Amino acid sequence: AITLFSFIYLVIGTYLILLAYKLTSNIFDSINHAMTGQSTGGFSTLDDSIAGYHSVEMDMLYLLPMILGSLSLPFYFTVIYNRQINQFWKNLQTRSIFILCILGSIVLSFMLMKSGVISEPFRTGIFQFVSALTTTGWQTSDVSTWDSPSILFIVMAAMAVGGAAGATVGGIKIIRVLLIFKGISWNINNFFSSANSIKVVKFNNKRLLPAEMNKELASAATFAFVYLLLLLIATFITYYLMDVNFTFADALFEAASAQGTVGLSCGITHPGMSPVLETVYIFEMWAGRLEIFPVMVLFRTIFLGTKPAID
């Protein structure tokens, strides 16, 4: 249903914006982009992705399909079937994605403007940050021309974070990031509490006892640590196998894009790339899509079997 809505939305929007665009091409583009938007796959019928339209209005038109693909499917169920429209703001993940899209787009736009390497920093900053956060991967800019601080920002604030759990996005997932920050605040506040007090933690409409909070926090922090560790390893492999005209920031961007199943590229990924590097990215995309833990369980089963470890 959401894919169908995106298709109709894109057909009408493209028709109104690009009056000279063929209707058959419009329908073909829209149905494919509706599917790749909802699956946050990022594939495009155009060689230059969304940049191929050469239109600011088209860039803005495609923001909605990216955001729709980044939201949790259970969230849609609550809104559509239970008719709880207020969940657009009350739902923690959805609210956080909206806020991060706005703030991140503004920050990236100002960073690109300060660097002076982009002719339209706000157009580029808004579109590329939303594309990276939602891990959709539609592209309107040559990232290899960006300055290193802008690349590092979009990697850490968008590509590594990702959208909502329960959506088709990659990345750590925004709910885990929020839980880690909540856990940091909770642990700091514990230093000022009585040893006999039991403080219930309120998070994502749940009330967690200390033992439950510790368990949730440990799971989220472990996942984030393993995710970032794998990303760091892939970045160093990329750095030593990529072409000499790229920087370390480019290597981090490309590895983060593969592991977050984003699809953005600064040019390191190309048909003539090293087969070893290609294999690394294939593994990253696979492990990133499965959220790493199932992959670790698989390898543990292969090498150690299914018997539980005995201390």
Side-chain angles (χ1 to χ4, degrees):
I2 300 167
T3 304
L4 179 62
F5 169 80
S6 295
F7 165 64
I8 297 172
Y9 164 84
L10 290 175
V11 168
I12 296 174
T14 303
Y15 178 79
L16 295 176
I17 295 171
L18 302 178
L19 298 177
Y21 203 60
K22 290 182 179 180
L23 181 59
T24 52
S25 298
N26 178 359
I27 293 174
F28 181 72
D29 290 356
S30 297
I31 195 168
N32 281 281
H33 287 154
M35 290 188 289
T36 61
Q38 182 56 32
S39 65
T40 62
F43 289 107
S44 176
T45 55
L46 307 177
D47 291 342
D48 296 330
S49 191
I50 307 305
Y53 288 118
H54 306 288
S55 168
V56 179
E57 292 80 7
M58 289 298 289
D59 290 0
M60 299 303 106
L61 179 72
Y62 272 80
L63 292 178
L64 181 59
M66 291 192 289
I67 294 175
L68 290 178
S70 71
L71 302 181
S72 169
L73 292 175
F75 160 77
Y76 285 120
F77 182 87
T78 302
V79 171
I80 296 172
Y81 288 96
N82 296 340
R83 300 180 181 179
Q84 297 181 17
I85 306 299
N86 60 1
Q87 287 299 308
F88 275 99
W89 182 250
K90 284 192 173 183
N91 183 275
L92 179 61
Q93 289 196 106
T94 305
R95 180 174 72 246
S96 300
I97 288 173
F98 288 153
I99 293 174
L100 188 54
C101 278
I102 295 171
L103 295 180
S105 296
I106 294 172
V107 172
L108 180 60
S109 297
F110 276 107
M111 292 178 73
L112 291 173
M113 183 177 66
K114 186 176 184 300
S115 69
V117 297
I118 299 295
S119 59
E120 298 177 288
F122 283 91
R123 172 186 177 182
T124 300
I126 293 171
F127 188 91
Q128 291 305 163
F129 188 88
V130 173
S131 178
L133 179 65
T134 60
T135 70
T136 304
W138 283 327
Q139 197 155 351
T140 59
S141 176
D142 183 2
V143 181
S144 64
T145 63
W146 291 15
D147 62 308
S148 293
S150 297
I151 292 176
L152 293 175
F153 176 77
I154 198 173
V155 168
M156 301 312 298
M159 294 168 70
V161 174
T168 59
V169 297
I172 294 173
K173 303 293 191 301
I174 198 164
I175 193 67
R176 289 193 181 102
V177 175
L178 294 171
L179 179 61
I180 291 172
F181 278 106
K182 181 71 173 183
I184 292 173
S185 173
W186 176 65
N187 275 297
I188 291 174
N189 289 331
N190 282 341
F191 285 102
F192 301 93
S193 302
S194 168
N196 297 321
S197 65
I198 299 177
K199 299 188 67 175
V200 176
V201 184
K202 296 180 181 179
F203 180 76
N204 196 25
N205 296 324
K206 295 180 180 179
R207 297 172 63 87
L208 303 173
L209 293 173
E212 295 173 319
M213 181 60 181
N214 278 323
K215 183 179 179 180
E216 294 287 341
L217 181 59
S219 177
T222 301
F223 179 88
F225 174 78
V226 175
Y227 187 96
L228 295 176
L229 179 62
L230 181 59
L231 174 59
L232 184 63
I233 294 172
T235 299
F236 278 106
I237 295 174
T238 300
Y239 182 73
Y240 287 107
L241 294 178
M242 66 185 184
D243 297 338
V244 294
N245 54 319
F246 293 104
T247 65
F248 185 81
D250 294 330
L252 175 63
F253 181 91
E254 205 77 5
S257 180
Q259 189 162 308
T261 66
V262 181
L264 295 173
S265 176
C266 60
I268 294 176
T269 302
H270 60 88
M273 65 191 294
S274 164
V276 176
L277 186 55
E278 188 173 359
T279 303
V280 170
Y281 288 165
I282 288 173
F283 176 80
E284 273 195 290
M285 291 186 290
W286 174 62
R289 179 66 279 173
L290 296 176
E291 292 205 333
I292 299 175
F293 276 159
V295 177
M296 297 175 66
V297 171
L298 173 64
F299 287 136
R300 195 268 187 195
T301 303
I302 292 173
F303 293 108
L304 300 177
T306 58
K307 293 182 179 180
I310 301 176
D311 295 331

